[in-house]
Amino acid sequence: MRAISPQCFSVSAFRRLSSHAAARVDNNRQCITGPTNHTSHLHTDKTEPLISLIKSTSSKPHLLQIHAHLIRNSLIQHPIFFSPFLFGIALPPLHDLGYACRVFSKFSKPDVFQYNIMIRAYGMSDSPGNGFMLYQEMLRSGVSPNSLTSSFVTNCCIKSGSLFGGLQIHARILRDGHQSDGRLLTTLMDFYSSNEKYTEACKVFDEMPHRDTIAWNVLISVYMRNRRTRDALGVFDMMQSSYDCQPDNVTCLMLLQACANLNALAFGERVHRYCEERGFDKAMNICNSLITMYSRCGCLEKAFEVFKGMTEKDVVSWTAMISGLASNGYGRDAIEAFREMQCAGVSPDDQTFTGVLSACSHSGLLDEGRMFFNSMSKEFGISLNIHHYGCVVDLMGRAGMVDEAYNLINSMKVKPDATIWRTLLGACRIHHQADLGEQVIERLIELKAQEAGDYILLLNIYSSLGDWGKVINVRKMMKDRGIQTNPACSTIEFRGKIHEFVANDFLHPRKTEIYEMLDEMNQQLRIAGYDAETVAELHNVGTEEKQIALSYHSEKLAIAFAVLSTPPGTSIRVAKDLRICVDCHNFAKILSAVYSREVVIRDRNRFHHFREGRCSCNDYW
């Protein structure tokens, strides 16, 4: 039979296609209620054309014509017609849930397949809670759910955030014996993870009789949501030693993100080699992730190598490269890359401009930053968002234009968030603007978004001015409000493992050797002119006590471990979760010359590449 285009049929086409099917229906037009009892009334070879037409139609007017035809010929109550019709109406691309509900309510005896269609449709809508309600109605009507039902309604609970509903579904899964369905259990893992029940998610994984690649990937996402990034990396080794499945491109994408978060360059290189072996490295999304991973590990040479080797580059590729150059201190190179992107005919988006403005901020390119900021809406038609404003506030604040930055925040077209106020607070710390810093703290209190780090910045301002009375008051305020500081953490990768350090850390198994090495390094650096920057210590104690307190900051311990554990000349790569202090910056700068080591420190804001006694930030951070 010649294929019929769903775009050019009419009601007369229905008559031709289903005349034999309609003739088989009882003369009294009795409703057909089930496929098992009544399919003998309809010959398959006569009904297939109409069913195929229903399934191939995505136009609502055409489906409405089909609906009218089914009603007119008393075929609407037959499941073999009703199910594909409901599927076409309820699910994408049409996804007319309101119309589907009205159609569904008129069906006399819906079975599990029709319920599944509707529950799945609710899970894709803005009212996923109704999917769980329909599930309950289904149970009350005596229709038993299958594993697909449980999967679709669990998705509804994920979208609606219904922990109690998901727990009920889990109980029903166990009761109905569906706990061997791997796809269903991976959905259940996702449900527990989305509700921050990470232990339960891992338990579901552990109880799976058979695990496919999707299940392993969900486990990785569970670890990453739970900030157990190191465990996420460990899954890669477990998957490779598994006989059932191997890492796929999705696994690699998530692991590259984990490596970027942890500054785990060596592990990222392993994933890169695996991608090359499996042919994943040609995919654009993998290449983009590799650029981001290498950039966030401070290895711009390899990031550019991946970028240069791409046969096609989209806006994400260019943005990743521009942002990598920006965070590593190559502001003018980032601007040049932006120009080349335009010459290549790729239009920038809002994230591209975030990267470009960030480049201007990190490199102190005030005029260029203002030019890009002003051109966004005029030349490129891109609306300014909070990130763009944040970059310009940071740019002005670092340049000493603190009052202008404050005025810009007050004139913004979008509501200022906590991040942008913290950006201004950081500028107040750099330029010792205590009065404005106090105002910023008040704004954060109004937003109910103040954190311990905000008060630490204010303490920095007061201590740098020698106002120890206010330092005491702020500390008392923090105590009264129950605000506690978490110690800064620095991480370093060595032989495939991530080592963590906090200030005055005594948990590392090589702690004695590390402290001995750090004491020796301090002696060597003092001979070369290093003198502790005591302004970084926030307690009103003597100079000697301040120097001792500064000696054992987390990044210094990490650097000492690296010097102790690696051959001379090896690059040292440290990631810190907070901004590097002035004293540690000076320490790393002099160490890079005395020990002839390249030291790369990634703090919360940017990269610092220390070589031969100099830093890539030019002491501007």
Side-chain angles (χ1 to χ4, degrees):
M1 177 180 288
R2 181 175 60 87
I4 298 175
S5 171
Q7 282 74 33
C8 57
F9 62 82
S10 62
V11 174
S12 60
F14 299 138
R15 296 195 183 101
R16 292 194 300 273
L17 289 167
S18 60
S19 58
H20 296 288
R24 293 287 178 177
V25 182
D26 293 339
N27 290 332
N28 61 1
R29 306 291 190 184
Q30 182 177 357
C31 291
I32 302 172
T33 58
T36 54
N37 296 330
H38 299 279
T39 47
S40 59
H41 289 280
L42 299 170
H43 288 307
T44 302
D45 59 339
K46 306 300 183 184
T47 61
E48 279 185 353
L50 180 56
I51 294 172
S52 298
L53 186 62
I54 296 172
K55 290 181 177 179
S56 63
T57 302
S58 59
S59 164
K60 185 175 180 179
H62 294 167
L63 281 169
L64 291 178
Q65 292 180 55
I66 292 174
H67 191 193
H69 179 73
L70 293 175
I71 293 172
R72 185 170 180 268
N73 289 278
S74 297
L75 298 174
I76 191 63
Q77 289 293 326
H78 199 296
I80 66 170
F81 297 117
F82 179 75
S83 292
F85 173 73
L86 182 66
F87 187 98
I89 287 288
L91 296 171
L94 189 56
H95 196 38
D96 190 337
L97 192 53
Y99 192 85
C101 289
R102 292 193 294 273
V103 171
F104 182 77
S105 67
K106 301 298 182 182
F107 194 70
S108 57
K109 291 184 179 180
D111 60 17
V112 64
F113 303 106
Q114 284 101 42
Y115 273 111
N116 284 354
I117 292 170
M118 291 303 298
I119 293 170
R120 184 183 179 189
Y122 276 121
M124 298 178 175
S125 73
D126 295 328
S127 53
N130 290 339
F132 182 74
M133 294 172 62
L134 184 62
Y135 171 77
Q136 292 177 310
E137 177 188 313
M138 171 186 172
L139 297 178
R140 288 192 295 268
S141 68
V143 178
S144 297
N146 58 21
S147 59
L148 277 177
T149 316
S150 300
S151 181
F152 294 148
V153 73
T154 302
N155 275 324
C156 290
C157 293
I158 292 171
K159 282 198 69 176
S160 62
S162 174
L163 176 61
F164 184 65
L167 292 173
Q168 292 182 67
I169 296 162
H170 193 177
R172 183 82 192 199
I173 290 169
L174 297 174
R175 171 188 161 176
D176 294 343
H178 294 154
Q179 61 266 36
S180 61
D181 189 312
R183 292 291 179 92
L184 172 57
L185 295 182
T186 54
T187 305
L188 201 59
M189 285 175 64
D190 196 26
F191 157 74
Y192 280 119
S193 178
S194 66
N195 283 279
E196 299 183 358
K197 301 292 182 180
Y198 304 113
T199 303
E200 289 82 353
C202 293
K203 186 178 179 182
V204 172
F205 179 84
D206 291 337
E207 294 174 352
M208 280 186 182
H210 303 288
R211 299 162 186 152
D212 60 8
T213 302
I214 297 174
W216 285 99
N217 288 346
V218 172
L219 180 65
I220 293 172
S221 71
V222 168
Y223 283 144
M224 292 184 68
R225 284 179 182 176
N226 195 21
R227 297 182 180 179
R228 292 172 57 182
T229 315
R230 285 185 295 173
D231 292 324
L233 296 182
V235 174
F236 184 63
D237 294 321
M238 289 189 284
M239 289 183 73
Q240 287 187 295
S241 62
S242 169
Y243 295 105
D244 298 331
C245 54
Q246 291 292 303
D248 63 4
N249 59 331
V250 177
T251 316
C252 294
L253 285 170
M254 290 192 293
L255 289 174
L256 288 171
Q257 181 185 342
C259 292
N261 293 342
L262 275 178
N263 197 33
L265 176 61
F267 204 104
E269 289 174 329
R270 277 187 58 198
V271 178
H272 189 180
R273 288 193 295 271
Y274 180 86
C275 290
E276 290 176 331
E277 292 167 3
R278 296 302 176 104
F280 299 152
D281 61 315
K282 304 303 179 186
M284 187 176 291
N285 57 354
I286 292 287
C287 290
N288 293 342
S289 294
L290 284 168
I291 294 168
T292 300
M293 184 274 293
Y294 280 125
S295 296
R296 294 201 62 195
C297 289
C299 192
L300 271 184
E301 297 84 0
K302 291 194 175 182
F304 184 69
E305 187 179 316
V306 174
F307 178 79
K308 189 172 60 174
M310 295 177 69
T311 53
E312 291 185 21
K313 304 176 182 72
D314 62 3
V315 64
V316 179
S317 315
W318 284 98
T319 299
M321 196 68 245
I322 290 169
S323 299
L325 290 164
S327 63
N328 282 274
Y330 297 93
R332 295 201 179 276
D333 293 295
I335 293 174
E336 181 62 27
F338 179 80
R339 302 296 187 203
E340 290 181 17
M341 174 184 178
Q342 290 179 284
C343 293
V346 179
S347 299
D349 61 10
D350 59 326
Q351 293 187 36
T352 312
F353 274 100
T354 300
V356 172
L357 292 171
S358 175
C360 295
S361 173
H362 288 316
S363 300
L365 304 175
L366 183 63
D367 293 337
E368 292 86 344
R370 283 173 162 171
M371 182 270 293
F372 283 117
F373 184 72
N374 293 328
S375 68
M376 284 178 58
S377 55
K378 294 178 182 177
E379 295 183 25
F380 297 93
I382 295 176
S383 300
L384 298 169
N385 62 35
I386 194 72
H387 303 294
H388 304 136
Y389 281 109
C391 289
V392 177
V393 168
D394 189 48
L395 174 62
M396 290 180 169
R398 291 178 189 278
M401 303 169 62
V402 182
D403 291 331
E404 291 87 341
Y406 179 68
N407 293 333
L408 176 63
I409 294 176
N410 289 326
S411 66
M412 283 166 45
K413 296 179 181 178
V414 294
K415 183 179 179 181
D417 64 359
T419 301
I420 203 165
W421 286 117
R422 289 193 183 102
T423 301
L424 183 61
L425 186 60
C428 293
R429 182 201 62 79
I430 294 171
H431 300 288
H432 314 296
Q433 297 283 339
D435 292 340
L436 184 55
E438 291 171 351
Q439 293 181 48
V440 173
I441 289 288
E442 290 301 319
R443 294 297 185 102
L444 289 168
I445 291 172
E446 290 173 10
L447 292 172
K448 298 181 179 180
Q450 72 274 18
E451 296 176 351
D454 305 327
Y455 292 97
I456 295 300
L457 285 174
L458 193 59
L459 286 171
N460 265 289
I461 298 172
Y462 291 143
S463 65
S464 66
L465 296 172
D467 194 339
W468 298 109
K470 288 192 175 181
V471 168
I472 293 171
N473 291 337
V474 171
R475 290 192 182 280
K476 183 178 183 301
M477 183 194 310
M478 292 174 67
K479 183 177 180 181
D480 293 342
R481 294 179 180 179
I483 298 172
Q484 296 181 341
T485 58
N486 293 319
C489 176
S490 294
T491 60
I492 190 167
E493 182 187 25
F494 178 65
R495 293 182 178 174
K497 292 184 179 180
I498 304 298
H499 296 257
E500 288 184 348
F501 298 91
V502 296
N504 301 304
D505 195 345
F506 286 96
L507 297 178
H508 197 279
R510 300 181 66 183
K511 56 183 179 294
T512 302
E513 297 172 85
I514 291 171
Y515 276 91
E516 289 175 353
M517 174 57 70
L518 186 53
D519 290 341
E520 179 186 324
M521 289 162 56
N522 274 312
Q523 292 177 10
Q524 295 293 330
L525 297 193
R526 287 194 187 99
I527 295 172
Y530 165 69
D531 190 20
E533 189 72 45
T534 55
V535 70
E537 174 52 39
L538 304 181
H539 292 84
N540 186 18
V541 294
T543 301
E544 185 176 348
E545 289 86 349
K546 286 186 176 184
Q547 289 176 344
I548 293 172
L550 291 168
S551 295
Y552 305 116
H553 278 190
S554 62
E555 54 266 63
K556 291 181 180 178
L557 292 170
I559 292 171
F561 171 75
V563 172
L564 182 68
S565 306
T566 59
T570 306
S571 295
I572 298 171
R573 299 178 184 276
V574 177
K576 185 178 180 181
D577 59 353
L578 298 178
R579 183 182 180 276
I580 187 173
C581 74
V582 175
D583 179 63
C584 288
H585 191 272
N586 292 341
F587 177 91
K589 191 163 56 173
I590 297 175
L591 180 136
S592 68
V594 173
Y595 283 80
S596 299
R597 296 265 195 149
E598 178 191 15
V599 181
V600 182
I601 298 180
R602 187 186 80 190
D603 70 8
R604 186 171 60 182
N605 296 327
R606 62 171 299 159
F607 277 91
H608 299 268
H609 294 260
F610 301 95
R611 296 185 185 94
E612 299 177 353
R614 302 175 64 183
C615 180
S616 59
C617 74
N618 293 317
D619 298 336
Y620 185 86
W621 87 98

